[in-house]
Structure formats: structure tokens, C-alpha cells
Amino acid sequence: MKVAIVSGKAEGPNKLNSFDNALLKARIGDVNLIKVSSMVEKGTEITDLPKLKPGAMVNCVLSKITSEKKGDLISAAIVIAIGDNLGCVAENARINTSPKEVKEEAIDMVKYMMDKRNEKINEMVVEEINHKVEEIGTVVASLVYLNEEIIAIQ
Amino acid sequence: MKVAIVSGKAEGPNKLNSFDNALLKARIGDVNLIKVSSMVEKGTEITDLPKLKPGAMVNCVLSKITSEKKGDLISAAIVIAIGDNLGCVAENARINTSPKEVKEEAIDMVKYMMDKRNEKINEMVVEEINHKVEEIGTVVASLVYLNEEIIAIQ
Amino acid sequence: MKVAIVSGKAEGPNKLNSFDNALLKARIGDVNLIKVSSMVEKGTEITDLPKLKPGAMVNCVLSKITSEKKGDLISAAIVIAIGDNLGCVAENARINTSPKEVKEEAIDMVKYMMDKRNEKINEMVVEEINHKVEEIGTVVASLVYLNEEIIAIQ
């Protein structure tokens, strides 16, 4: 199993388009996202996001937050921890919380998940994104599950 | 890729059954709906909804709204715009907003999405449904992704 | 089609971990859950949950509730009814409602769904779970769709 971790932030004229713009910035705006919960197989490899086939059905864990209040600091974090037998993913999204705290909360959650499964963490990757809202802003951080079917032929 | 656009409205004795009744009216009540976000492949064809296999796993974009307040006007709209390289889908659902506005908002959103992707719209289809709530009412509008596996053999 | 019905309850240091712990107790904590709506094919067989492959993509109907208020009684119920042509699943989750009522509501909803489809109920299974919240508690009840791909090789 291969996964990629991406993030994006954007403004937009309404909630839907703000969210869509953030997905575009994260380079996952042209596919169908199917939200899944938060586990990965053992031996999962974290890679860069390849170009995805427009319209493909893509499984992902999604951390996102939208705010319509000017000045709000919005943050989304996603963290993956991989062990010998499996891996866990935790997402966190907050308004007006220090980016450091949003990130640390996500890390604490994934550590706790791994601990509960008696898994030692061999590898951990964190992605975090922040945005100061101007009108209608969105941040997204996502772990994308990759497979041959969804990757565009270059 | 083939898609169908459907809608339905219904009352029911509780929220779950009201929603289920509206899905039945839309002729997607006998399948498992998996919600996906809102893109379609290039060359997507819009067709009538074929009879689906009961219990099949069906990907869809779903616009829905339920209200328990007698007299509420509930509206759901879904719009698909198709270009040369891909297509976008926008959904909109509102309470006590003029049906015309609900429809136009959805159209504006999809136009904006296509514009952001530098796609010219070759084809656009809108589906809109309204209902005046009596007790517990639901409207649904959905874009259903079709494939051989989910179509019932006649 | 084979399905399994499971449930679990747990406390945790935050909402995400509380929910994750409840999934672990239900023995579906090591897989990716994809939420689907609530229908099953005719001839669906209800079996015990086999050991699932860690990280597998698993379709499920999920009834869940989390509370952060000490003393809250949280309840989740799931019920499946199977007829000659298809089957229906209803979920119910409530706070501070008698477990008996939560269960009966779910049963009433599934009976109504089957009735609307002119299906006679040949088999019905109910799963219900309750928990008195200490700090941050979660209950989950789930119907899990099984297939060869997601079952671990023993």
C-alpha cells in the first residue's frame, strides 16, 4: 500500500467553493474523495502524490475546517505512524488554536492509538497547515490511499 | 463513465424513515449509498437511472435536507457540468429559500468550479426538488455513478 | 453476501481516541471503515466477525455516539431485517434514553423500512450497547459487510 500526504488552503466565495479551492491547492481537487477511517496496512510506503486521474474514486482520511469569520486562524493537521504490523492515522482541525498545539494534539492521538495496539512506531510523518481567514477560508490536510487505478498515465 | 441524476421527496414518521422514503421515491432506496465528492471523468455520459441491484454498493453525490417543522419549504439541488477534460458536480440544500435561488446558487457554484479548472462547459444538467413539510419531510437530489456491477439484470 | 454485527464501548482521553477505543473493543479498530447506507442483498448471511486484515477497506453501517458528560447514559443500536428480495438495516443512537426504547425505536424503523418495500421479515437480528460515561465515552454498533479481500488469512 502506498499513501501520500497533502495539504492546501484557500479562500472562496462560499463554503463549497472555498473547500473545493483548498482541495485544488492540495492537488486532490479533480478526484472523488471517499472518506475512510484511519488505518494503514503494514509495509505502507509514504510517497509523493502522483498525478491522479480526473474523476477517479480515491480513498482518503481528511482533516478539514472552514470558517466564515474574518481573522480566524484555522488549522488542520494529519499524522501517520507506521509500525511493524499496521499503521494509524489521526486528524485534527481547530479554530484559533496555536498551530503547535494542533500538531501536538494530532501526534499525541496517533501515539495513543499505536500504544493501544502495542505497536512500536517505526516512522511518523506529520502534515500541518494554517490559514488566517479573510472572508471564507478552508484548510485541508489529507492522507490519500494510492493504487494503480487512480494514477494518471503520464 | 455513466451517471444518472435523480431526486425524490417524502414524509415519514421519523427522520430516518423520512429520508429512506425520499430515497425510495428517487429510486435509490434499495442500494447502499457511498458518498463521494464531486468530480466526473471526461466523456461522462448522463443517462436515465437503470434498475439497480438491491443491496449493491453505489457511489453518489448526495444533496439532502430533512425538516421536522410543519410549513418549512425544503429544497435540494444538484448540478453537473461537463467539459473536455473533466466534469464537476455541485449540491445545494436549503430551508425556506426560493427554489429558484437554490437552483441558481448550485449553478453558480458549479460554474465557479469549472472556471477554476479552466474548463469550458459543454453540457450542464440541473435537478431540483422542493417540498412543503407536513410533519417530517425530506428532499434528496443525487448524482449516481453507474457501472455494470450495480445494474440489475432484467 | 455475508455480514457481521458487532458492538463496543470505551472511554478515552479525547473524542477521537474514545471512538477509536470503542472500535477496538468492537474488533473493527484495525481496518478502514467506509460508511454506507443501509441495505443488504437477498440471501445475506449473518455470521461471526472473522479476523479482518489490518488496514483493509471495510464497508459498514455505523451507529455511534460519544459524550463528554460524566453520568450520561449513551446507547447505540443496530438492527438488520432480511426478507426474500432484500434486507434493511436501521441504526439508532441516543443519550439518556432507556436502552429498551433505543432498541425498540431501531426495530420499529427497520420494520417500517421493510414494510415500505413490501418485504416480509424472515430473520431479524438486533445489537444494542450501553455505557455510563465516566469522562469521554463512546459506544458503537456496526453492521460489517464481509468479503474475501478483507478477511485475514489465519
Side-chain angles (χ1 to χ4, degrees):
Chain A
M1 190 186 260
K2 287 185 179 189
V3 299
I5 302 179
V6 297
S7 63
K9 59 184 180 182
E11 293 282 320
N14 54 61
K15 285 183 182 185
L16 186 146
N17 287 130
S18 170
F19 175 50
D20 185 54
N21 287 345
L23 292 178
L24 280 174
K25 288 284 169 60
R27 291 173 302 133
I28 51 174
D30 288 348
V31 295
N32 285 296
L33 299 173
I34 302 178
K35 274 188 266 181
V36 305
S37 68
S38 44
M39 303 300 303
V40 297
E41 292 171 9
K42 67 177 174 182
T44 291
E45 193 186 327
I46 302 166
T47 67
D48 289 337
L49 186 77
K51 177 145 180 46
L52 301 178
K53 221 180 277 180
M57 297 290 169
V58 175
N59 293 318
C60 72
V61 182
L62 194 66
S63 173
K64 66 148 183 159
I65 193 156
T66 297
S67 164
E68 300 179 278
K69 201 171 149 202
K70 189 183 161 75
D72 267 355
L73 175 68
I74 51 176
S75 309
I78 203 149
V79 51
I80 179 170
I82 302 178
D84 283 339
N85 303 300
L86 55 73
C88 293
V89 185
E91 73 265 27
N92 197 20
R94 300 287 223 103
I95 298 183
N96 295 328
T97 304
S98 88
K100 194 167 165 256
E101 200 178 324
V102 176
K103 204 166 163 170
E104 281 174 0
E105 280 179 354
I107 292 170
D108 285 349
M109 289 191 287
V110 92
K111 279 184 179 169
Y112 181 97
M113 288 171 81
M114 292 291 277
D115 197 49
K116 276 275 159 182
R117 288 163 175 88
N118 300 312
E119 281 290 317
K120 200 171 70 66
I121 297 176
N122 298 329
E123 187 185 0
M124 185 160 76
V125 177
V126 190
E127 178 94 12
E128 208 250 351
I129 189 155
N130 305 285
H131 177 63
K132 198 103 178 180
V133 176
E134 287 155 39
E135 289 183 57
I136 303 172
T138 301
V139 286
V140 297
S142 178
L143 179 109
V144 180
Y145 294 83
L146 305 172
N147 63 53
E148 292 306 312
E149 274 177 56
I150 66 170
I151 297 174
I153 297 148
Q154 304 283 338
Chain B
M1 190 187 260
K2 288 186 180 188
V3 299
I5 302 178
V6 297
S7 63
K9 59 183 178 181
E11 294 281 321
N14 54 59
K15 286 183 181 185
L16 185 147
N17 287 129
S18 170
F19 175 50
D20 183 55
N21 287 345
L23 292 178
L24 280 174
K25 287 284 167 61
R27 290 174 302 134
I28 51 174
D30 289 347
V31 296
N32 284 298
L33 299 173
I34 302 179
K35 275 188 264 181
V36 304
S37 67
S38 44
M39 304 300 302
V40 297
E41 293 170 9
K42 69 178 172 181
T44 291
E45 193 187 326
I46 303 166
T47 66
D48 290 336
L49 185 76
K51 176 144 180 48
L52 302 178
K53 221 180 278 180
M57 297 291 168
V58 175
N59 292 318
C60 72
V61 182
L62 194 67
S63 175
K64 66 149 184 158
I65 194 157
T66 297
S67 165
E68 300 179 279
K69 202 171 146 201
K70 189 183 161 77
D72 267 355
L73 176 68
I74 51 176
S75 309
I78 203 149
V79 52
I80 179 170
I82 301 177
D84 282 339
N85 303 300
L86 55 73
C88 293
V89 185
E91 72 263 28
N92 198 20
R94 299 287 223 105
I95 297 183
N96 295 326
T97 305
S98 89
K100 193 166 166 259
E101 200 178 323
V102 176
K103 202 167 165 170
E104 281 174 0
E105 279 179 354
I107 291 170
D108 286 349
M109 290 191 285
V110 92
K111 279 184 179 168
Y112 181 98
M113 288 171 80
M114 291 292 277
D115 198 47
K116 276 275 159 181
R117 290 164 174 86
N118 300 311
E119 281 290 316
K120 202 171 68 66
I121 297 176
N122 298 329
E123 187 185 2
M124 185 161 76
V125 177
V126 190
E127 178 93 14
E128 208 251 352
I129 189 155
N130 304 285
H131 177 63
K132 198 102 178 182
V133 176
E134 288 157 38
E135 289 183 57
I136 302 173
T138 300
V139 286
V140 297
S142 177
L143 180 107
V144 180
Y145 294 83
L146 303 172
N147 64 53
E148 292 305 314
E149 273 177 56
I150 65 169
I151 297 174
I153 298 148
Q154 304 282 337
Chain C
M1 188 185 261
K2 287 184 179 190
V3 299
I5 302 178
V6 297
S7 62
K9 60 183 178 181
E11 294 282 321
N14 54 61
K15 285 182 183 187
L16 184 147
N17 288 130
S18 169
F19 175 49
D20 183 55
N21 287 345
L23 292 178
L24 280 174
K25 287 284 168 61
R27 290 173 303 134
I28 51 174
D30 288 347
V31 295
N32 285 297
L33 299 173
I34 303 178
K35 273 188 264 182
V36 304
S37 69
S38 44
M39 304 300 302
V40 296
E41 292 170 8
K42 69 176 174 183
T44 291
E45 193 186 325
I46 303 166
T47 66
D48 290 335
L49 185 76
K51 175 143 181 49
L52 302 178
K53 221 181 278 182
M57 298 291 169
V58 175
N59 292 318
C60 72
V61 182
L62 194 66
S63 174
K64 66 148 182 158
I65 194 158
T66 297
S67 166
E68 301 180 276
K69 202 171 147 202
K70 189 182 160 77
D72 266 357
L73 176 68
I74 52 176
S75 309
I78 202 149
V79 51
I80 179 171
I82 302 176
D84 283 339
N85 303 299
L86 54 74
C88 294
V89 184
E91 73 265 26
N92 198 19
R94 299 288 223 103
I95 297 183
N96 295 327
T97 305
S98 89
K100 192 167 167 256
E101 201 178 324
V102 176
K103 201 167 167 172
E104 280 173 1
E105 279 178 355
I107 292 170
D108 285 350
M109 289 191 286
V110 92
K111 279 184 179 170
Y112 182 97
M113 289 171 80
M114 292 291 276
D115 197 49
K116 276 274 160 180
R117 290 163 174 88
N118 299 312
E119 281 291 318
K120 201 171 69 66
I121 297 177
N122 298 329
E123 188 185 359
M124 185 161 75
V125 176
V126 190
E127 179 94 13
E128 207 250 353
I129 189 155
N130 305 286
H131 176 63
K132 199 105 178 180
V133 177
E134 287 156 41
E135 289 184 55
I136 304 172
T138 301
V139 286
V140 297
S142 177
L143 181 108
V144 180
Y145 294 83
L146 304 173
N147 63 54
E148 291 305 314
E149 274 177 55
I150 66 171
I151 297 175
I153 297 147
Q154 305 283 338

